[in-house]
Amino acid sequence: MKFTHLLSTLTIGACSLVALASCSKEEGVATNSPKKEEVSAQALAQIKQLGFSTQNITREGDSYLVEGDIRIDAAQLGTTPEYKLMRVGEEEQYRTNNLVTGLPRTITVAVSSTLPSAYVTAADEAIRRYNAEGLRITMRRVTSGANITLTKAPSGSSYLASAGFPSGGNPYSQVLVNSDALGTSYATTTIASVLAHEIGHCIGFRHTDYMSRQYSCGGSAVNEGASTVGAVLIPGTPSGPDPNSWMLACIGTGVNRPFNTNDRTALNYLY
């Protein structure tokens, strides 16, 4: 997930050398990005075969970052998830083919000590939002042995936070949070919105605007692809744009995105 900003040419040009650090922080861009590992042609082909966009892919250790904040482990590249056709011409709520199973069940969430204490408060708010919906999954914060652990992202990461999709009926186990970029100065509700978004990936949700990230991120239109970890239409959600969904790819600075009516329809349909 990334912040979006509408900055005029004058504003960008006004960033002097002295003010460069603060301007970089305002744009949510890391100034000391780690050296990117090369992504092999074979890996690109496998990611494309899975149906994800091959634009701006980065590799971090044994995983690949695609579509801004979605992680694909190297071990998943050779897999063949169930394929389902999807609709790509409208902007609606979508899910992946991989979901958490064994319902009802409790999903435990831990906040690593690598993150500031403000993230514990934000995680509690994100958990509260899910539990308030009366779903067949209940979330509970623990201090160890969690199903999902929120931990600090590598220094210089290009995203606010990142996560992957469920596997084997279990949620993705880790959310990497770029606390250097996100900081602690934003309201708890903003940080909670970012964490709830990434937990959404962990339990099987793709971006609401996956068919055109231009909708929330600006810039040129990018379709995230007909992934075999596919986007499947959820009945009862709208055919028009949903500007306040918690699963939009990008979020504005200081924005709070609690679940809206369409989000609740999607959550209750799946869980």
Side-chain angles (χ1 to χ4, degrees), residues 10-113:
L10 178 61
T11 303
I12 296 172
C15 292
S16 66
L17 183 61
V18 174
L20 181 59
S22 61
C23 287
S24 296
K25 181 177 181 181
E26 172 61 20
E27 294 178 28
V29 176
T31 56
N32 294 309
S33 298
K35 183 178 180 180
K36 294 182 179 179
E37 298 182 46
E38 183 178 353
V39 180
S40 69
Q42 180 182 7
L44 287 173
Q46 289 175 309
I47 291 170
K48 183 177 181 179
Q49 181 65 31
L50 285 173
F52 289 97
S53 169
T54 56
Q55 295 184 3
N56 301 316
I57 293 176
T58 59
R59 180 171 183 175
E60 295 180 359
D62 291 329
S63 64
Y64 297 86
L65 187 72
V66 304
E67 299 173 7
D69 71 332
I70 297 171
R71 309 192 77 81
I72 300 178
D73 294 336
Q76 294 177 306
L77 292 183
T79 62
T80 307
E82 178 188 2
Y83 178 76
K84 292 185 180 180
L85 295 176
M86 62 191 139
R87 297 166 65 179
V88 298
E90 299 175 331
E91 299 184 56
E92 308 179 58
Q93 291 282 351
Y94 290 83
R95 69 166 174 86
T96 72
N97 288 331
N98 296 342
L99 293 173
V100 174
T101 59
L103 308 179
R105 66 182 288 183
T106 297
I107 296 175
T108 53
V109 180
V111 181
S112 168
S113 60

Side-chain angles (χ1 to χ4, degrees), residues 91 208 215-216 238 240-246 248 250 255 257 260 262:
E91 299 184 56
T208 310
Y215 183 69
S216 69
D242 186 11
N244 298 310
S245 172
W246 105 104
L248 288 173
C250 293
V255 170
R257 280 198 188 134
N260 65 16
N262 301 324

Side-chain angles (χ1 to χ4, degrees), residues 207-231:
H207 293 140
T208 310
D209 55 344
Y210 92 96
M211 73 301 296
S212 178
R213 293 181 65 219
Q214 180 185 30
Y215 183 69
S216 69
C217 299
S220 58
V222 177
N223 186 315
E224 291 182 354
S227 172
T228 51
V229 186

